[in-house]
Amino acid sequence: MYSSVINSIGAGSGLNTSQLVNDLVSASTGVKLDQLNERSQLNSTRISAMAATASAMTTFADAVKETLNGQGFVGELLSSRTELANASVVEGARPEGLPASVEVVQIATAQREMSDIFASASDPIGERTLTIANSKGSFDIVIDGTNNSLTGLKDAINASNSGVTASIITDKAGSRIVFEAQEGADNGFTITQGGPSAALNLTNIAVAADSIIRVDGIELTNSSNTVLGAIPGVQLSLLAAEPGTTFTISGDSEPLDVRGLVKEFVTAYNDLRRSLNDATKPGVEGGSAGPLAGDRGAREVIRQLGQLTSTQLTDSGDFRTLADIGVRTERDGTLSIDETRLDAAIALDSGAVKLMLEPAAQTETNIGLSGALDSISSRLQDENGALALAQERLATIRKSINERREKINEDGDRLREQLQTTFAGLERQLAVLRATQSYVEQQFASFDKD
């Protein structure tokens, strides 16, 4: 009888209610969280793949633009007389008219005036007012008891914003001040003096003059030795004049030709397209799908890139699209080159092909290859573009998953509290039963004894 009573009330069962609560909560929330984690991992993979796609588009467009920087068609610029002038490509421009014949008739010089010698730069030079007059206006330089020295005069001139600067040169004979303006005839100046002290004696050691060059026989005058516009897309740096001597500005011996440019573009494009194909491949015949399979943003990227060979790059000439020079799209979206057609286009008019790929000046109807890529990239990545909207959509999904995870965890916490409360009540009831058990045991013991 005693053992059957003990079994019926479960006394001494030793239940681990803490573990039981954990198991029950896990059973309630675990499957939901596992499913949510799978969705979260897939969404994170898609976010990374979409970011990689956007980055690849930008990198590809930038690489093409860098190749089409003008210098690619001419190579490094060379001067046949580097002691007379050097040349460089103007950033963002395409050099034209090369090779060019250049003659430096005269270099630009700055007016310079020098004072008499003083024992030192700190010796008094006499109080006076110097007035500098030039194309910028008239500027009074006052020398008084606070700045009565060559050093004081130098500092006052340099602070005047007159366009004239001053420096002090010193040798074993003493110190003297030199006034200097910028290069060019328009920057000449005059200095007049007044006041109680005798005027400083100034000696002209250089007159203001413009540079004069002849490019292919055409004489051009500039106020500087840095010359822009004489040769389109080229900056000339004049170093010395030698009238009657002509020299050549040209590209180096290995410029990037049109064929090389087209092949380089096709190779870079195909690398981009293959990565997109991998990212969007469907999971068929047991194969795993790409992270962007079925994503409409990725499909739009592929669609717009697929139109590139038929996009009009220029509004004139025999060649207006990539297809016109033999660039065609294959079934997998990659590009190939019809070598025969490309050779024929180059042989017919290589200059027209160059201008199609990179116009001398971009306009709405002469966009060139880099302009076409910029247009595609902008359409895809602006705030309403396919890439931007896809990234926004994936970010919204991530936010929803995080909110759902928080909700499941909150529900699990509430369930845990409820179970803990329930089991605590059971424990109290069990304690009462155990007390009753003890009493019953005592009574049965008394009965057995009697």
Side-chain angles (χ1 to χ4, degrees):
M1 180 183 294
Y2 172 72
S3 60
S4 63
V5 173
I6 294 297
N7 291 332
S8 67
I9 64 176
S13 62
L15 293 175
N16 187 343
T17 58
S18 177
Q19 182 62 46
L20 185 57
V21 168
N22 288 335
D23 292 343
L24 290 171
V25 171
S26 295
S28 175
T29 63
V31 174
K32 297 177 183 178
L33 287 175
D34 288 343
Q35 294 173 342
L36 209 57
N37 288 335
E38 288 180 5
R39 288 185 58 198
S40 177
Q41 184 175 0
L42 176 59
N43 192 65
S44 296
T45 302
R46 287 176 173 172
I47 289 174
S48 298
M50 190 60 70
T53 298
S55 176
M57 277 293 302
T58 301
T59 301
F60 174 62
D62 289 345
V64 173
K65 185 178 295 184
E66 180 65 23
T67 301
L68 291 167
N69 66 353
Q71 189 166 327
F73 286 134
V74 297
E76 295 291 337
L77 295 186
L78 302 177
S79 169
S80 61
R81 293 291 298 273
T82 54
E83 76 277 16
L84 300 181
N86 289 320
S88 58
V89 176
V90 176
E91 183 177 356
R94 181 168 67 83
E96 298 180 47
L98 298 178
S101 173
V102 178
E103 175 188 355
V104 181
V105 179
Q106 175 178 292
I107 64 171
T109 55
Q111 180 180 346
R112 302 179 75 203
E113 305 286 337
M114 184 177 67
S115 71
D116 287 341
I117 297 175
F118 290 80
S120 74
S122 59
D123 282 358
I125 60 173
E127 297 183 8
R128 69 190 74 245
T129 297
L130 282 75
T131 300
I132 297 175
N134 54 24
S135 59
K136 297 180 64 175
S138 180
F139 304 85
D140 290 335
I141 312 298
V142 178
I143 303 301
D144 54 25
T146 64
N147 60 353
N148 186 11
S149 65
L150 288 181
T151 299
L153 175 58
K154 173 182 72 74
D155 293 341
I157 289 176
N158 291 338
S160 68
N161 294 319
S162 63
V164 175
T165 59
S167 59
I168 296 173
I169 58 175
T170 301
D171 60 11
K172 65 180 182 180
S175 300
R176 67 213 81 180
I177 192 167
V178 178
F179 306 97
E180 183 173 3
Q182 295 179 337
E183 296 172 346
D186 291 341
N187 293 315
F189 61 93
T190 61
I191 295 179
T192 57
Q193 304 179 56
S197 301
L200 292 173
N201 291 323
L202 298 178
T203 302
N204 177 261
I205 54 178
V207 297
D210 292 331
S211 64
I212 301 174
I213 61 173
R214 294 190 180 98
V215 177
D216 294 333
I218 301 173
E219 187 166 293
L220 303 168
T221 301
N222 289 275
S223 60
S224 171
N225 288 318
T226 300
V227 179
L228 295 170
I231 304 173
V234 176
Q235 175 180 295
L236 293 174
S237 299
L238 308 182
L239 303 175
E242 193 171 308
T245 299
T246 60
F247 57 95
T248 302
I249 300 295
S250 63
D252 66 16
S253 59
E254 297 181 358
L256 181 65
D257 62 4
V258 175
R259 174 186 292 279
L261 174 63
V262 173
K263 287 187 174 182
E264 187 174 338
F265 163 75
V266 168
T267 298
Y269 178 94
N270 287 344
D271 289 342
L272 172 63
R273 183 54 194 262
R274 289 189 184 100
S275 68
L276 286 171
N277 289 348
D278 289 340
T280 57
K281 67 180 179 182
V284 294
E285 298 180 357
S288 58
L292 297 179
D295 185 272
R296 58 180 179 270
R299 288 200 304 269
E300 181 63 16
V301 173
I302 290 175
R303 188 189 71 82
Q304 294 205 27
L305 284 174
Q307 298 175 345
L308 190 57
T309 55
S310 59
T311 298
Q312 182 170 297
L313 306 181
T314 183
D315 61 359
S316 61
D318 295 326
F319 312 110
R320 304 191 182 192
T321 68
L322 289 173
D324 291 340
I325 61 172
V327 180
R328 61 194 179 198
T329 304
E330 300 298 331
R331 292 185 62 183
D332 65 351
T334 59
L335 302 182
S336 63
I337 301 174
D338 184 334
E339 300 282 354
T340 302
R341 193 169 181 179
L342 178 59
D343 288 343
I346 294 173
L348 179 64
D349 193 344
S350 62
V353 178
K354 288 181 180 180
L355 287 174
M356 179 192 73
L357 298 173
E358 185 193 18
Q362 278 194 2
T363 65
E364 290 184 358
T365 55
N366 289 279
I367 57 176
L369 189 53
S370 63
L373 289 171
D374 279 343
S375 178
I376 292 174
S377 184
S378 296
R379 288 198 302 270
L380 291 172
Q381 300 194 62
D382 67 18
E383 61 180 3
N384 294 316
L387 277 177
L389 291 177
Q391 290 175 309
E392 181 180 345
R393 183 174 64 256
L394 292 172
T396 300
I397 292 174
R398 178 172 59 186
K399 181 180 178 182
S400 175
I401 290 173
N402 289 337
E403 291 174 348
R404 178 61 180 157
R405 182 183 288 111
E406 291 177 3
K407 177 69 166 55
I408 292 173
N409 287 330
E410 290 173 358
D411 291 345
D413 290 341
R414 282 195 293 270
L415 176 60
R416 184 184 302 278
E417 291 177 2
Q418 292 172 1
L419 291 173
Q420 287 173 341
T421 300
T422 299
F423 280 109
L426 291 175
E427 290 285 353
R428 287 193 296 272
Q429 292 178 13
L430 185 58
V432 172
L433 290 174
R434 282 177 174 167
T436 303
Q437 172 191 351
S438 178
Y439 171 75
V440 171
E441 287 175 351
Q442 293 174 5
Q443 292 301 314
F444 277 117
S446 175
F447 294 157
D448 291 341
K449 182 178 181 182
D450 291 341

